[in-house]
Amino acid sequence: MNRPLRRLSLVVAFLFFALFASTTWIQFVSADRLNAMPGNSRQLYAEFGRERGAILVQGGAAVATSERVDDPYTFQRAYAAGQLYAPVTGYYSLRYGTAGIERAENDVLSGSADELFYRNLSSLLTGEKPKGADVTLTLQPKVQQAAWDALAGRKGAVVALDPETGNVLAMVSSPSYDPNTLASHDGAAQQQAWTQLNGDEDDPLVNRATSALYPPGSTFKLVTAAAALESGKYTADSALDGPQELDLPQTNNTLKNDEGTACGPNDKVSLSDALKISCNTAFGWLGEQLGAETLGEQAAKFGFGQSLSIPTSVATSRYPTGDAVAGPLLAYSAIGQGNDVATPLQVAMLSAAIANDGVVMKPNLVAKVSEAGGSGSVIEQPSPSELGRAVSSSTAKTLQQMMELVVSNGTGTRAQIDGATVGGKTGTAQHGAGLPPYAWFTSFAEKGGKKVAVAVVIEDGGSTESAYGGRLSAPVAKTVMEAALNG
């Protein structure tokens, strides 16, 4: 071969090599990135052209399905119960992506999960179009509906847990939204809904049960009481200082009781009675005796500071550290004010752990992942798992008895249920001068071997006087607990 031909051959070989290398790079290295690009219409057509799995609740009712439509996308997401389950299901939108379970379980709903590889391979061989798997939630429709109805359109959230498994029985956030508006294939309608929802000052797209952080108010006194009992220095009968006003260190300010009086004769009150009447000065004093480190350690054992995925993401509840809990702030932190923040889910976990003999269970929303179409073939089924032990069994028993006194003869009498053992703790959380406080109630109930723990928060529930958790939130918790016990 003469020299020009050899050179030409080398050039052709080099071009073939370059073509082979670039093709390999695109196919095997850049494929995932290119497929995920927002402007990749092929990927969108392919994803919306595949039948997505359904989202179901206990009893088998589907709350999110894929319906065949006559447009280039083939399928459109439909949400049968609209606002009721929207904070949990989230949405599946062409333009605005996903949220909630639609996002957290997207790989199984879309059929792209590794666990579905062999099933999809089988579908290809038989000529069937691959489908996504169904996801069944732990939510119980009667409990969910009861929580939604009892909240009655007020801003807030309700969470009900099975204390022994951590399963979420109800999760309501209000105001909510209709996810069908975001699932529409009409671009203009979709954009209008998105703009309207994001412009709403009440934030209907936020799942308040897991994403909103509130001062927990007096529900945090359960943590302070637990820390005191666990220290071995206090019992339910221990006498605490409970004056009309508690002097705060490094300041001329005082911590006052809501009723403007001392919590007992000679400014003394037992730990049990302090919880029953929700005495601020006694728990502020107790917090100062225990110290921020002890309170922080106890809060962590209940789940504060832990990152949770249920599998939707959960905001991290926090007990403050350093300067945020120094000086006068320590007493405030002991009563759930100052810089304490918690989600309603975390507040429900307090009661759930106490009702579960001190063991904190990991909250969970997914009961199982199964073959689409009701074949019953289970692909994945999460098992209950422990986050840890918050308190000893004996401390949990003492706290249960103290919480039962709150309901039988304290600030939470509106949560009483005939024939059931009910314990609770009220809370009224200040969050700014002149602003209506948040009304809290956290509780547990047991009847006939069934157990449930519930947390309720109502935002801006009226004036300071009317927003006590026992008046506003305890009746909501009662309704939800009854639905769970009788369901």
Side-chain angles (χ1 to χ4, degrees), residues 145-163:
Q145 188 68 55
W148 176 261
D149 293 343
L151 208 50
R154 290 172 290 188
K155 278 193 292 184
V158 179
V159 177
L161 297 175
D162 181 330

Side-chain angles (χ1 to χ4, degrees), residues 89 106 197 292 423 429 455 478:
T89 63
N106 182 61
L197 289 169
K478 173 185 177 179

Side-chain angles (χ1 to χ4, degrees), residues 18 34 48 94 192 287 435:
L34 294 172
F48 280 77
L94 264 170
Q192 182 181 2
L435 297 175

